Amino acid sequence: KTTQQNAFFQAMATVAAVRGLRGVASAATSRFTVARTAASSSYLLDTYQRRWMSSYPSHEVVGMPSLSPTMEQGTIAKWNKKEGESFIAGDTLCEVETDKATMDFEAQDDGVIAKILADAGPNDIACGEPIMITVEEASDVDAFKDYVVAPTSMASSVPPEAPPAPAAPPAAPTPAPVSAPAPAAAPVSGSTTIGRIIASPKAHMLASAKGISLLKIIGTGPGGRIIAADVEEYVPVAEVAAAPAAVEASAAAPAVAAVAAPIAPPTIGEGYTDYPLSEAAKSIAAQLTHSKQNVPHYYLTVDLALGELLKMRATLNQSLKLGEDDAGISVNDLLVKAAASAMKAVPSANASWMDSVVRVYDSVDINVVVGSGDALYAPIVRNAGGRGVKAISDDVAAAVASLEEEATGPEFHSVGTFTMMNLGMYGIKSCAPIIREPQACALALGAIENRIVPNDDVESEEIYKESVMLTATLSCDHRVVDGAVGAQWLSAFKSGVENPTTLLL
């Protein structure tokens, strides 16, 4: 019967739209949407009706936004809009102060502020705690003059405690083939909670007019909220018939994952392929994203002449009496030693930002990036400032050998006081690396190449000469290492590279 009703309402909407009867089309589309939602979840429909058919006009209770990945609470420094004032998408509603910065809370949709629930002041407000109510029409503002919201509720008309999850799903489990449906279940979690769809009033109206179920849309607003733009840009995809079975299978999956969690095979779609990520890759991505967003990076670049360094390397390798298969001391090993010597000359760069203090370390522990792709690691060379070049070379060679044998130990995951990466093997001239917290600096080295440079030999008749050069770029945390200190460090590094005998001191 439900299927027949759905078909009937959908047909009415189509016919009315063709004939230009917008009112009939909207009504039929709404009936079709409600009927389809009821077929999938009667509890969600009941919640939807209680929210929009309460004694208050359609509205939205807006909570304190999380404006950064680590924000847990904030203070409203200033309200830029007053009660009764309208706003459009992009307007700054208020200024939110956190322990790190003051940021603007921008509107995602058009609307009117009906009531401000949290005054500007020094009181901390947890993320998600209600701060204001918005409506679509200015005529609805007066209805919220005496509005009171429960402290633990984000929606005034929704009961503060959601009833237990609907027990209806066991009624019709679909057969077992569940391999492909898993990705299709993801959109639901981004913008829904138990018993409630998180969406703006305008998004609800647009979805109802277009006959789109909000359960299918991923929200891009604060906290995963569905906004009007999400509905307007939504492109319908094929329904996945086995969704209930996918949910049932995902409930049993953690037990298997606890034993072993291999990376899932790639998912091939129409014109694209999705490659799942390992937990390690997700963790590194989250760390780098957090660092890039929170650390005030700036970059310094210098060109280095390697002529003397290459001569010294050849002399050292000859004295070691290397075998045929022994690579000996590499240019990178000498550059690691030069970086450690620069840290000894400018110790304030060998430091970390600790919120209330700057911690300067006694030992220079350098993470040297090796490998590529999924096998990218940064093993640590400890106390590089107090060790010889041969000892540093042995540590780096042992790390590379362990990586080839897939025998990575704790030293591959330890965080030192400084990071170095060499991209010269890929022909890259320069690179601005992301600092790895809590470090304050990171150094990237480019390709070694022959360049024509001005001749500094006053006795030579030639104006230019050929020189072996390399470009080095230093990324600095401006909270710890300001421009002058960064320049001093690069100057010391350049001096050590171009006068390598000083590295032996």
Side-chain angles (χ1 to χ4, degrees), residues 31-65:
R31 292 288 301 277
F32 168 60
T33 304
V34 171
R36 183 169 56 182
T37 306
S40 60
S41 174
S42 59
Y43 178 70
L44 287 177
L45 173 60
D46 183 51
T47 302
Y48 180 90
Q49 290 175 332
R50 287 201 304 271
R51 182 175 182 181
W52 297 102
M53 298 180 184
S54 63
S55 57
Y56 289 101
S58 62
H59 63 281
E60 182 178 6
V61 180
V62 180
M64 169 65 77

Side-chain angles (χ1 to χ4, degrees), residues 137-187:
E137 303 295 338
S139 58
D140 296 333
V141 171
D142 292 340
F144 296 89
K145 183 178 181 181
D146 300 320
Y147 186 96
V148 177
V149 66
T152 58
S153 175
M154 278 295 297
S156 62
S157 305
V158 180
E161 247 183 58
T174 332
V178 191
S179 55

Side-chain angles (χ1 to χ4, degrees), residues 311-333:
K311 292 178 183 179
M312 180 177 176
R313 173 181 177 251
T315 302
L316 291 175
N317 284 335
Q318 286 178 359
S319 66
L320 292 175
K321 297 180 181 180
L322 303 172
E324 294 181 359
D325 298 330
D326 194 344
I329 296 173
S330 68
V331 173
N332 197 61
D333 299 332

Side-chain angles (χ1 to χ4, degrees), residues 252-273:
V256 180
V259 179
I263 301 178
T267 302
I268 300 176
E270 187 176 350
Y272 65 89
T273 303

Side-chain angles (χ1 to χ4, degrees), residues 102-182:
T102 299
M103 294 172 281
D104 293 338
F105 177 22
E106 295 184 352
Q108 303 294 321
D109 282 327
D110 302 349
V112 181
I113 296 182
K115 188 172 183 65
I116 294 175
L117 303 175
D119 295 330
N123 296 328
D124 289 332
I125 303 172
C127 291
E129 187 173 330
I131 61 172
M132 65 177 170
I133 298 172
T134 63
V135 294
E136 289 293 315
E137 303 295 338
S139 58
D140 296 333
V141 171
D142 292 340
F144 296 89
K145 183 178 181 181
D146 300 320
Y147 186 96
V148 177
V149 66
T152 58
S153 175
M154 278 295 297
S156 62
S157 305
V158 180
E161 247 183 58
T174 332
V178 191
S179 55

Side-chain angles (χ1 to χ4, degrees), residues 304-311 331 335 448 467-470 497:
L304 310 172
L306 301 184
E308 295 299 322
L309 188 78
L310 293 176
K311 292 178 183 179
V331 173
L335 293 174
I448 298 174
S467 179
V468 181
M469 304 289 292
L470 174 149
V497 172

Side-chain angles (χ1 to χ4, degrees), residues 47-108:
T47 302
Y48 180 90
Q49 290 175 332
R50 287 201 304 271
R51 182 175 182 181
W52 297 102
M53 298 180 184
S54 63
S55 57
Y56 289 101
S58 62
H59 63 281
E60 182 178 6
V61 180
V62 180
M64 169 65 77
S66 178
L67 300 176
S68 71
T70 58
M71 178 177 169
E72 297 179 356
Q73 61 183 15
T75 300
I76 297 178
K78 175 186 176 183
W79 280 101
N80 294 344
K81 296 289 183 180
K82 300 178 182 179
E83 292 183 359
E85 281 194 56
S86 60
F87 56 85
I88 61 174
D91 283 354
T92 300
L93 301 178
C94 63
E95 296 177 6
V96 178
E97 184 177 343
T98 69
D99 56 343
K100 296 182 179 179
T102 299
M103 294 172 281
D104 293 338
F105 177 22
E106 295 184 352
Q108 303 294 321

